[in-house]
Each structure stands twice: as structure tokens, then as C-alpha cells.
Amino acid sequence: MSNNILVFYGSYRSDRMGIRLATYLVEGFRKRGDAPELIDAKAVGLPMLDRMYKEYPKGEAPPAMEELARKIRAADAFLFVTGEYNWGAQPGLKNLTDHFLEEWYWRPAAIASYSSGRISGARSSFVWHGTLSEMGMVVISSTLTVGPIAETLGPDGSPIGNGGKALERAFPRFADDLAWWTEAAKAQRARKEPPY
Ligand SMILES: Cc1cc2nc3c(=O)[nH]c(=O)nc-3n(C[C@H](O)[C@H](O)[C@H](O)COP(=O)(O)O)c2cc1C
């Protein structure tokens, strides 16, 4: 079954590295027959949070926000590619996600973290788990942790070296876990209207 998966990435840095992991994951899910789409917070370019999407009168949200709300509502699953700034979340990705709330409900989310060192963004993964749960997503237990990212993925997102081999070994189980929960949530939404 092909799933519509939004892949979120949120670094605004000129020399950003996490785009390699986002590219790898989009490609990985596409090869499995899914329909992934990269949502690059920098490209979407939402302003710093003023009004949440739901706080705009109907039809008056900025077009980029309206379009993203539509995509989030239509998605079967979400994948968050999270880097770590000072043990915390990257502000660009956090700012994007905070614009929405009900739009996220009743779907699973997976987290793939990375960093320049061997910690692989594990602390950002921990931080995002609670945030995504609070926003109504079911966060799957499988995670990917990638680091050092420069020694794992090349500029085009191709796996390199031993780190790349380890990522290739880890990806199928991670993707299977997300697929299982995606199909479970899809079937339940079809069977029973979400309560709110
Ligand atoms: C402001 C800032 C804070 C950082 N803090 C951490 C950190 O706490 N832990 C870590 O492993 N790497 C940290 N790093 C290194 C990042 O892992 C590395 O720069 C990574 O490439 C950032 O993701 P990006 O290139 O997609 O922006 C930090 C980098 C920046 C720019």
C-alpha cells in the first residue's frame, strides 16, 4: 500500500547538512513505493509564529500556510528529520510545526535525528518525541540516529562509508515500523470517525 508521507526538515543554515538525510529518506520511501514529499521549512518560509493557522479567519491564512495545512491534513504519516542545536530543537522546524495543531491529529510520526558528531542528534530526538505527542501524533518507537552526518551521507544524500552501511541496514525496520502504524491509523480512521 502506498502511503502519503510528509518529510519535514527545518534548518535555515546556508551550509546545512541535514538536507542530506532528508533527501536520503525521501528517496528511501519512494523506492519502497510510497509517496513521500519533502517539506523544507526554509523553502516554505512561514513567518515567526504570530497567529496559528486556525486563528486566521477561513480563507485568510497566508497562501503557504494554507497549502501546508492542506498537505498535513491529507497526509497518512509524518517523518521529522531533526538536527540538534545546543541539545534542543532547531527553531525553523519548531516554528513551522507550532503553526498547526488539529491538522496533525490521528496520524503516526517517526523521528530521524542527526548531528555532526557521534551523538547523532539523539537529544533532539528525545525533545521532539514529547512535542509530537503533545500535538496529537502517535510517535513510533523506532528511530534513526545518524552521525557524524558528513561521514554517513554524501552531498546528494547517498550513503557513504561504514556510517552509510549502518544506515542502510537500519532503514528497512524503521520504515516497516512506520508503515505498520500508518496502515493501522488509516484503517481505524476509515472504520471510525475520530472523536474530535
Ligand atoms: C547553533 C548550533 C548548535 C549546535 N549544537 C549541537 C548540539 O547540541 N549537539 C550536537 O551534536 N551538535 C550540535 N551542533 C552541530 C550540528 O549537529 C551540526 O552543525 C549539524 O550539521 C546541524 O544541522 P544542519 O547542518 O542541518 O543545520 C550545533 C550546531 C549549531 C549551528
Side-chain angles (χ1 to χ4, degrees):
M1 187 190 296
S2 174
N3 292 315
N4 176 2
I5 304 169
L6 295 183
V7 179
F8 291 90
Y9 170 62
S11 172
Y12 277 52
R13 296 192 322 115
S14 309
D15 303 320
R16 62 195 193 158
M17 296 291 290
I19 192 69
R20 299 181 181 199
L21 180 56
T23 304
Y24 169 83
L25 292 168
V26 166
E27 199 44 35
F29 279 99
R30 186 168 291 133
K31 280 189 201 146
R32 286 171 60 96
D34 288 310
E37 178 179 348
L38 175 65
I39 304 293
D40 177 352
K42 187 178 183 180
V44 174
L46 296 186
M48 284 296 285
L49 180 66
D50 173 13
R51 289 182 183 157
M52 291 174 74
Y53 171 69
K54 67 178 176 186
E55 293 173 324
Y56 285 90
K58 206 171 167 45
E60 289 183 26
M65 206 182 293
E66 191 69 63
E67 174 65 359
L68 186 51
R70 187 193 62 73
K71 287 182 180 178
I72 294 172
R73 279 193 301 257
D76 298 315
F78 309 113
L79 171 53
F80 286 80
V81 180
T82 68
E84 180 171 307
Y85 293 163
N86 301 314
W87 289 30
Q90 289 167 314
L93 185 56
K94 185 67 168 51
N95 184 58
L96 179 145
T97 59
D98 285 342
H99 277 86
F100 306 97
L101 185 60
E102 288 80 356
E103 293 77 18
W104 301 111
Y105 285 6
W106 315 112
R107 267 74 49 77
I111 300 169
S113 69
Y114 67 92
S115 74
S116 54
R118 295 181 63 82
I119 295 285
S120 306
R123 288 167 298 222
S124 73
S125 184
F126 179 82
V127 166
W128 275 103
H129 194 124
T131 299
L132 302 179
S133 297
E134 166 62 14
M135 292 194 293
M137 290 167 248
V138 176
V139 185
I140 68 164
S141 63
S142 294
T143 55
L144 288 177
T145 44
V146 173
I149 189 162
E151 294 169 30
T152 305
L153 294 165
D156 65 350
S158 303
I160 53 174
N162 287 336
K165 284 195 189 108
L167 176 59
E168 291 275 75
R169 279 196 300 275
F171 177 72
R173 186 186 165 122
F174 173 79
D176 284 347
D177 191 349
L178 183 60
W180 196 94
W181 285 107
T182 302
E183 283 159 31
K186 222 187 224 186
Q188 178 68 352
R189 288 197 309 278
R191 194 181 74 84
K192 188 172 182 180
E193 184 75 14
Y196 51 89

